Amino acid sequence: MNTTATIEADPNLPIIRTTRDFQATPAQLMRAHLDPELYARWVGPNGTAVVFDVWDARTGGSWRMRSTREGDEYSFHGSFHDVTEDRIVQTFTWDAMPESVSLETLWFEDLGDGRTRLHAQSLVDSFEGRDGWLESGMEVGVNDGYAKLDALLEGGEV
């Protein structure tokens, strides 16, 4: 099982695609992404503390969070456009760059035997914006976060 996320830039569109396998069911991964208490425990790089000001994880809902790491605070917000039993479509905006909104689609592929492949696709407004995300060190936050999620799953907390 691959426990490092594959992060790829689409050569023809300003899209970032991420895939990652988990020893979990699709339902467990949905819960980990929609329950704010669980999500705050694993999202982001190691050493990150997350606080939600708003969390309404339903179709038409919205979210706003603050993330603190090494004394620096970052804030993000978005809207849940579609939440179903196996897919989440939402926007993601870093408040420091409000002009750069990402449309994110996340879905889960049941691989059997209690394994699931997470697929994520992030569409940004330009190739420059996409490349900026990729150069920001996002893979550290993605891989650190998913490793923390693995630990929660292994500990039976999800």
Side-chain angles (χ1 to χ4, degrees):
M1 184 168 69
N2 184 8
T3 59
T4 301
T6 301
I7 300 172
E8 300 174 320
D10 187 296
N12 301 310
L13 298 168
I15 290 176
I16 299 168
R17 290 191 177 91
T18 304
T19 56
R20 168 68 151 69
D21 292 352
F22 290 89
Q23 188 65 46
T25 65
Q28 286 176 297
L29 290 181
M30 279 299 285
R31 182 170 173 244
H33 282 82
L34 295 177
D35 180 314
E37 290 179 17
L38 284 172
Y39 189 73
R41 291 177 62 193
W42 67 263
V43 72
N46 293 334
T48 300
V50 173
V51 174
F52 289 101
D53 297 321
V54 175
W55 187 263
D56 186 10
R58 63 175 175 82
T59 298
S62 63
W63 62 272
R64 176 172 293 283
M65 72 178 195
R66 290 174 282 127
S67 175
T68 306
R69 183 169 179 241
E70 298 175 357
D72 295 321
E73 184 173 280
Y74 307 93
S75 58
F76 309 88
H77 71 277
S79 299
F80 290 102
H81 290 262
D82 192 36
V83 178
T84 66
E85 67 182 38
D86 62 355
R87 186 177 86 142
I88 302 167
V89 180
Q90 67 183 8
T91 57
F92 183 94
T93 304
W94 177 29
D95 289 343
M97 293 183 64
E99 70 284 354
S100 182
V101 178
S102 171
L103 178 63
E104 300 186 340
T105 304
L106 185 75
W107 67 99
F108 306 101
E109 177 186 358
D110 190 342
L111 301 175
D113 296 325
R115 294 178 19 252
T116 300
R117 180 163 295 145
L118 173 148
H119 297 272
Q121 175 176 289
S122 300
L123 172 65
V124 297
D125 62 342
S126 66
F127 287 98
E128 294 80 14
R130 180 202 66 194
D131 294 345
W133 279 65
L134 291 169
E135 293 164 6
S136 73
M138 70 173 271
E139 72 280 352
V140 172
V142 168
N143 285 310
D144 283 0
Y146 288 158
K148 290 184 283 185
L149 178 52
D150 279 337
L152 291 172
L153 289 161
E154 289 170 14
E157 299 179 64
V158 180

